[in-house]
Amino acid sequence: MYELSFNIPKGVGSTGKIKLSNSEMRKVFTEGVNWAIKNGYGWEEDKYFVDDQGCMDGANPDYVSKQAIDRGNDQVGTLGSGNHFLEIQKVDEIYDEKVARVLGLEKDQITVMIHSGSRGLGHQICSDFIKVMQQSSSKYGIVLRDKQLACAPLNSPEGKKYYAAMACAVNYAMTNRHCLTHWVRLSLERVFKKSSRDLGLELIYDVSHNIAKMEVHNVDGVKKQVCVHRKGATRAFGPGHESITSKYRDIGQPVIIPGDMGRYSYILVGTEMAMTESFGSTCHGAGRLLSRAKAKKKIKGSELKEELFRKKGIIVIAGSLSGLAEEAPDAYKDVSKVVDVTHNAGISRKVARLVPLGVLKG
Amino acid sequence: MGEMDKRYEQIEHLSDVGLRAYGKSLEELFENAGEGMFSIMCDLAKVSPLSRREIDIVERENVSVEQLLISWLENLLYLFEVEKMLFSSFKVHSVKVQSDKSNKDGREGDEKSKEARVKAEIFGEKIDFTKHEIIVAIKAPTYHTLEVKRDSLSGSWVANVIFDI
């Protein structure tokens, strides 16, 4: 854990290991994970285990502001704060042996889970386009209930530009996680004095949540191209879907559901029912139970850290103890219950349950 | 601190963080909102006003006081992320918005120009991990339930902002 914490830049006010020029940033926006692999951050085959093979189509760097690039050019390969994390986990329960085997999972196996995204860059793109779309909502006669909701028709100039900028942020986020994965591999190589291939550090899957995608769905019996925006949701395409990488096509798309640092996280797969009931979507995490302010009042970071180690043997390394208290297990719903709901509703299927052994927080 | 002197406080929000800022004038409101935002991220008692930055935000569109407040906070966050700066002291010299009825500003605006503007000086220092603990990094102020209001009796201002973290 200490080796990991030493090698993984948290990126909260600190600089990552990579600082990119504008032209390199543009390549990240348009090439995604391919950029990382070309530059030595990752294995050639990794891209087959990332949504859209690590690169979302339609990205146009011209619609990403200078401010967004400034915020993002030293955050590639940084974890971030808030609910982002890196965990060393153990597979403690398998629900479907056959599917788990295809994913390369077995009981008592050690896994690493990373939760991070497009960092300050994505937020700047959001801020920039809220300004644009606040004008366009009224221009197109759209009335919205909340000022944070601003929109334009997808095919309007504003809508097209936003989609192209968002794709840049998605490609940046996938690249970010890929660089983090690279440093996980290097750290574990150092600790175990073995190559990461010998250690079997294969990428199981990388899936983005909170993202809009152009997809073909059956709407009232007619196949239509639609834009599915999954906010607080994850894509969960069922078996046989052509966009699923060939190795996993028969089992359905892998879904990663992070829980909290004291209990569990889950690996699920998408189902046919998700395709008919929820536009190929399932949940995206446990969801909060307590606000950050309440959690901080109720829980002390230092006690939590000590208790997680004493009672469960979980090693926690956090940039901030107050920040840690805000992310305490008690601040979250029980992810097992959330996952059971989606499993029983049939919109995704449980494959494996993972318990945390070590937690790294920004 | 008495109720009347309160400059800002954190307010409840389930998944993110909320801030309520007060001010006798718009300038004071903006100062307190800026300080309040940084107080969520770190202990301001440990941030010395060693370094100064001038801020001059000009919005050419006909923006509301709410939008101008968001721009102000976004500018501060930009400096936090790009220059790795923490700020603890804020002097807002002027906040100019159009004096239309919708924002109930009640002051004389520049009738000819549609420009909205914030001029300020802010003080702080570079993040030093040996003394500054970043509790959580705010990524953006949001428009979600955003409100900037002026009390018609006392004339003082109050703003509610939810931050994405």
Side-chain angles (χ1 to χ4, degrees):
Chain A
M1 280 312 294
Y2 290 99
E3 184 69 32
L4 281 168
S5 99
F6 181 72
N7 287 317
I8 305 284
K10 324 293 186 295
V12 184
S14 66
T15 305
K17 291 188 170 181
I18 309 172
K19 169 108 185 181
L20 299 178
S21 65
N22 277 3
S23 62
E24 287 298 303
M25 284 291 279
R26 291 174 75 92
K27 284 184 193 159
V28 171
F29 294 155
T30 52
E31 296 171 14
V33 162
N34 298 305
W35 176 89
I37 293 168
K38 248 197 297 189
N39 286 278
Y41 307 110
W43 304 345
E44 188 60 36
E45 67 265 35
D46 288 340
K47 67 178 178 203
Y48 300 114
F49 305 107
V50 185
D51 257 8
D52 301 319
Q53 299 205 357
C55 185
M56 187 173 180
D57 286 338
N60 186 340
D62 291 345
Y63 302 129
V64 179
S65 70
K66 181 187 172 295
Q67 284 83 353
I69 290 174
D70 287 348
R71 285 178 73 170
N73 62 15
D74 64 354
Q75 291 186 335
V76 181
T78 63
L79 194 56
S81 71
N83 64 5
H84 291 171
F85 67 80
L86 186 153
E87 280 184 11
I88 303 266
Q89 306 169 327
K90 191 175 87 172
V91 180
D92 93 317
E93 186 87 51
I94 298 270
Y95 303 96
D96 187 325
E97 288 283 352
K98 220 171 108 195
V99 172
R101 212 170 304 129
V102 177
L103 290 170
L105 287 170
E106 56 189 341
K107 199 165 161 30
D108 296 327
Q109 187 183 23
I110 303 298
T111 56
V112 179
M113 185 178 282
I114 295 169
H115 181 212
S116 187
S118 56
R119 313 276 289 103
L121 173 118
H123 270 266
Q124 189 62 45
I125 290 174
C126 172
S127 297
D128 293 340
F129 276 91
I130 283 174
K131 269 189 196 163
V132 173
M133 299 230 181
Q134 276 175 336
Q135 313 286 327
S136 53
S137 306
S138 56
K139 177 174 150 192
Y140 297 107
I142 303 163
V143 182
L144 296 159
R145 291 166 57 90
D146 184 335
K147 287 186 209 118
Q148 180 71 7
L149 298 173
C151 69
L154 199 58
N155 288 321
S156 66
E158 296 92 333
K160 282 182 183 162
K161 283 180 190 171
Y162 174 67
Y163 190 85
M166 184 204 70
C168 292
V170 172
N171 288 334
Y172 177 92
M174 294 191 288
T175 307
N176 178 33
R177 287 191 294 270
H178 218 72
C179 292
L180 288 167
T181 304
H182 173 71
W183 283 310
V184 167
R185 284 176 175 154
L186 283 193
S187 302
L188 296 180
E189 281 184 353
R190 246 174 251 173
V191 172
F192 294 102
K193 312 242 179 321
K194 261 185 177 181
S195 79
S196 48
R197 287 200 186 265
D198 287 343
L199 287 166
L201 294 171
E202 283 116 20
L203 177 64
I204 296 174
Y205 206 64
D206 178 308
V207 62
S208 304
H209 53 222
N210 300 343
I211 181 180
K213 282 191 158 177
M214 301 303 296
E215 295 168 357
V216 175
H217 284 274
N218 205 326
V219 184
D220 299 327
V222 185
K223 275 200 168 178
K224 274 189 185 171
Q225 194 188 46
V226 290
C227 179
V228 183
H229 178 197
R230 298 186 177 89
K231 170 71 185 165
T234 314
R235 185 154 93 169
F237 279 178
H241 197 285
E242 60 182 19
S243 77
I244 303 174
T245 192
S246 56
K247 187 180 168 193
Y248 299 152
R249 196 164 294 160
D250 292 344
I251 60 170
Q253 182 220 299
V255 180
I256 303 162
I257 306 295
D260 62 69
M261 64 175 84
R263 285 174 284 191
Y264 308 107
S265 290
Y266 283 85
I267 304 294
L268 318 175
V269 281
T271 61
E272 193 45 50
M273 199 171 202
M275 303 313 288
T276 57
E277 295 295 317
S278 56
F279 289 96
S281 316
T282 187
C283 66
H284 97 308
R288 287 192 79 92
L289 196 60
L290 294 181
S291 72
R292 293 179 174 275
K294 272 198 184 128
K296 218 163 22 179
K297 252 180 230 162
K298 216 178 128 185
I299 302 150
K300 270 195 88 173
S302 54
E303 285 170 16
L304 171 67
K305 187 177 163 157
E306 194 268 330
E307 194 182 295
L308 281 171
F309 183 69
R310 187 166 40 83
K311 290 193 179 161
K312 301 189 168 183
I314 301 168
I315 297 167
V316 179
I317 300 177
S320 156
L321 286 173
S322 308
L324 184 70
E326 295 181 5
E327 287 291 313
D330 285 353
Y332 281 93
K333 291 175 199 159
D334 183 349
V335 70
S336 299
K337 287 183 183 162
V338 175
V339 163
D340 279 345
V341 169
T342 69
H343 180 91
N344 294 332
I347 54 171
S348 47
R349 259 180 344 107
K350 292 200 279 187
V351 178
R353 186 173 74 179
L354 313 162
V355 288
L357 303 175
V359 181
L360 187 63
K361 294 288 286 182
Chain B
M1 225 190 301
E3 189 69 23
M4 295 302 288
D5 308 320
K6 199 182 275 176
R7 296 191 293 125
Y8 54 82
E9 61 191 319
Q10 274 196 45
I11 52 175
E12 284 289 312
H13 187 271
L14 187 58
S15 53
D16 291 304
V17 173
L19 178 77
R20 181 171 296 139
Y22 305 89
K24 289 190 200 73
S25 62
L26 268 184
E27 286 76 14
E28 209 179 279
L29 180 80
F30 274 51
E31 287 171 359
N32 291 339
E35 189 179 317
M37 181 174 76
F38 277 93
S39 78
I40 292 169
M41 296 201 277
C42 62
D43 179 3
L44 292 187
K46 290 180 183 160
V47 180
S48 311
L50 299 173
S51 182
R52 172 178 163 277
R53 293 283 184 284
E54 264 180 45
I55 309 256
D56 188 359
I57 304 165
V58 182
E59 296 278 353
R60 299 214 174 270
E61 302 281 346
N62 190 4
V63 304
S64 66
V65 65
E66 281 93 354
Q67 286 167 321
L68 197 58
L69 178 67
I70 295 287
S71 287
W72 159 245
L73 297 172
E74 278 173 358
N75 266 266
L76 299 178
L77 281 177
Y78 177 79
L79 292 174
F80 163 71
E81 270 195 11
V82 175
E83 294 192 18
K84 325 291 174 207
M85 290 286 296
L86 292 168
F87 296 100
S88 55
S89 177
F90 301 78
K91 183 65 210 160
V92 176
H93 298 300
S94 68
V95 177
K96 201 169 73 176
V97 276
Q98 273 230 303
S99 61
D100 63 340
K101 284 186 181 112
S102 64
N103 61 36
K104 296 186 180 67
D105 183 340
R107 64 169 72 186
E108 288 298 311
D110 185 340
E111 294 301 329
K112 281 174 211 156
S113 136
K114 283 192 167 181
E115 172 184 287
R117 192 164 188 172
V118 183
K119 285 175 94 167
E121 280 172 283
I122 57 174
F123 303 87
E125 63 176 316
K126 266 213 162 195
I127 299 173
D128 171 357
F129 285 103
T130 60
K131 65 173 183 173
H132 301 134
E133 177 185 316
I134 307 292
I135 301 163
V136 68
I138 289 174
K139 288 184 198 156
T142 75
Y143 288 90
H144 178 63
T145 68
L146 174 69
E147 203 171 41
V148 180
K149 271 193 313 193
R150 192 182 194 197
D151 188 288
S152 53
L153 284 176
S154 67
S156 60
W157 293 85
V158 58
N160 288 335
V161 191
I162 306 289
F163 295 102
D164 249 345
I165 49 175

